[in-house]
Amino acid sequence: MARGLARDGAVVDPRWLAAADDVPRHRFVPGFYLAADETDENGLVVWEPVTAELDHGRWLAAAYSDATLVTQFDDREPDWSAPEVRHGGAPTSSSTLPSLVLRMWADAEVSEGHTVLEIGTGSGYSTALACERLGSADVTSIDVDPHRLAVAADALYGCGYTPTLAVADGLYGYWPEARFDRIVAACSFRSVPDALVAQTRPGGKILLTLSGWLYGYARVLLTVAEDGTAEGPLLPGTVSFMSVRAHAAPAFGNPAHWAAGLPERGRPARYGPERISAADPEAFHLRFLAQCAVPDAQMTTVEGVVHLVDAVRGSAASLTPREGGWEVREAGPVRLWERVEEVVAAFDSAGRPGPEQFRLRVCGGERRLAHPQMSGLELPGL
């Protein structure tokens, strides 16, 4: 696996490659699920359990592949003594693919002598890599799930790693071990928590994945200043992590109920929903920018009609395909799609800038995303 990561250029730092070569990943994934090649008759993903007892060869090959291995669904721990095939479900814990784990540590500019807080212990594999590189005494890892942390602790201690571990909510960091030189999160946040800035030494760095209810994602590397402000660029690439549980999107009900309150006639949309929903890097990035403009909106598609719903403010919009374009209908205190259109127009006028051309500044209660040619966008407050 380590040779493959080096050959593919996924990891270039020889010290992180050495850590990947030394840490036995199979010790951290005694059981996991892999998606079958085909969905079931209802279109649901079929998840097949994989353990050493069920199929030793498949288990070992997957453990040393550069793949994310799902270990939990819907916050419920499987019974790995008698695991069952699953149909659908929301993954809530996993062992992230090794190349991404190592990329996160490298992007956070972690090196020897740094004290590190990892948010989201998960399987413990990422924690083990940090311990291998830095030494266990400088690593603190927290997870909100006590069972997952206990399983990870057994694996870590069994391999000789002894980091500080605690059941804690990543929104609040971990004050007993602060301040840290680096904070790295293996989950995503709607915004930057104040506690993480306060727990980082001046000159220290915070690497976070930001997300939201439109499932737009961006990674940011913040440097904390002496005055407690934090600022830094968005990083290139497309990365997504499971949301911190307190930031999960709320259920918004039946889209048809929301659509019933919309005006009968709409207007031609300036842009169609594919600008933020297409399966390409630009749309992935643009969805995050649009999300900053409508942070409480969610999007779903029913029979070809795209619905935007804001369950916080009571606004809604629908986009219906028409010959030559889309018709948009909106109601409520926030014109959701109009705001998205404004972001798309500004993005195009600025020359469609990539993530690395944006900087995020965190100062007090303000989280402002800035670009030289686009007006400021704000992340939701916490």
Side-chain angles (χ1 to χ4, degrees):
M1 184 188 73
R3 286 196 299 271
L5 294 174
R7 182 180 61 249
D8 297 340
V11 183
V12 296
D13 188 328
R15 292 164 296 185
W16 284 119
L17 282 169
D21 197 43
D22 288 338
V23 175
R25 191 187 187 205
H26 72 277
R27 296 283 294 273
F28 297 89
V29 285
F32 48 86
Y33 283 91
L34 296 178
D37 293 334
E38 298 181 358
T39 58
D40 66 11
E41 63 275 10
N42 297 313
L44 298 175
V45 176
V46 178
W47 295 96
E48 300 173 342
V50 181
T51 66
E53 291 73 21
L54 291 172
D55 187 333
H56 188 274
R58 187 186 188 195
W59 167 73
L60 200 59
Y64 287 101
S65 67
D66 189 28
T68 293
L69 307 175
V70 177
T71 55
Q72 186 191 76
F73 289 88
D74 303 319
D75 298 330
R76 296 178 181 176
E77 192 68 21
D79 178 4
W80 291 113
S81 64
E84 298 179 348
V85 173
R86 290 189 56 94
H87 293 253
T92 48
S93 189
S94 65
S95 178
T96 304
L97 66 160
S99 61
L100 177 53
V101 171
L102 291 160
R103 175 181 167 190
M104 293 286 286
W105 288 125
D107 284 347
E109 302 173 9
V110 173
S111 62
E112 288 78 1
H114 284 157
T115 56
V116 170
L117 171 64
E118 178 190 39
I119 299 173
T121 312
S123 71
Y125 175 66
S126 174
T127 317
L129 290 169
C131 291
E132 185 68 36
R133 169 77 185 271
L134 305 177
S136 297
D138 288 332
V139 178
T140 298
S141 186
I142 62 175
D143 201 291
V144 73
D145 187 326
H147 183 85
R148 289 306 313 160
L149 190 73
V151 173
D154 287 343
L156 285 162
Y157 297 152
C159 292
Y161 303 115
T162 57
T164 299
L165 300 175
V167 176
D169 190 325
L171 285 175
Y172 307 102
Y174 198 60
W175 288 102
E177 297 294 312
R179 294 182 171 185
F180 301 98
D181 295 300
R182 297 291 186 270
I183 295 180
V184 177
C187 52
S188 65
F189 296 81
R190 293 188 72 205
S191 191
V192 181
D194 289 328
L196 302 189
V197 177
Q199 291 176 33
T200 304
R201 299 182 196 278
K205 298 179 185 292
I206 304 170
L207 180 63
L208 295 181
T209 298
L210 301 170
S211 66
W213 298 345
L214 283 182
Y215 298 103
Y217 293 88
R219 291 191 309 147
V220 63
L221 181 62
L222 300 170
T223 300
V224 177
E226 289 280 354
D227 62 2
T229 62
E231 187 174 353
L234 300 188
L235 301 183
T238 56
V239 171
S240 60
F241 276 106
M242 297 174 190
S243 174
V244 63
R245 295 184 187 183
H247 285 183
F252 58 79
N254 187 334
H257 297 164
W258 290 89
L262 298 176
E264 291 186 8
R265 301 188 64 179
R267 61 173 177 84
R270 294 171 64 189
Y271 306 98
E274 67 278 358
R275 286 300 304 272
I276 65 171
S277 62
D280 61 64
E282 182 181 274
F284 188 92
H285 168 49
L286 188 51
R287 181 183 286 223
F288 174 76
L289 300 180
Q291 184 176 266
C292 293
V294 286
D296 298 320
Q298 299 179 64
M299 186 165 66
T300 188
T301 302
V302 180
E303 297 181 348
V305 178
V306 178
H307 299 269
L308 274 79
V309 171
D310 184 334
V312 177
R313 293 178 175 81
S315 298
S318 71
L319 290 115
T320 304
R322 302 297 187 204
E323 185 175 353
W326 295 78
E327 179 189 60
V328 58
R329 297 182 297 147
E330 300 179 278
V334 178
R335 292 296 187 262
L336 298 175
W337 193 248
E338 183 176 320
R339 286 197 176 182
V340 172
E341 289 173 325
E342 291 171 355
V343 171
V344 176
F347 177 76
D348 288 349
S349 296
R352 299 187 173 186
E356 63 279 4
Q357 297 183 47
F358 290 82
R359 292 185 68 83
L360 177 64
R361 176 176 171 79
V362 178
C363 181
E366 182 182 73
R367 284 109 172 93
R368 182 166 290 274
L369 190 63
H371 181 273
Q373 295 174 269
M374 292 181 66
S375 59
L377 296 168
E378 292 190 25
L379 275 66
L382 296 178

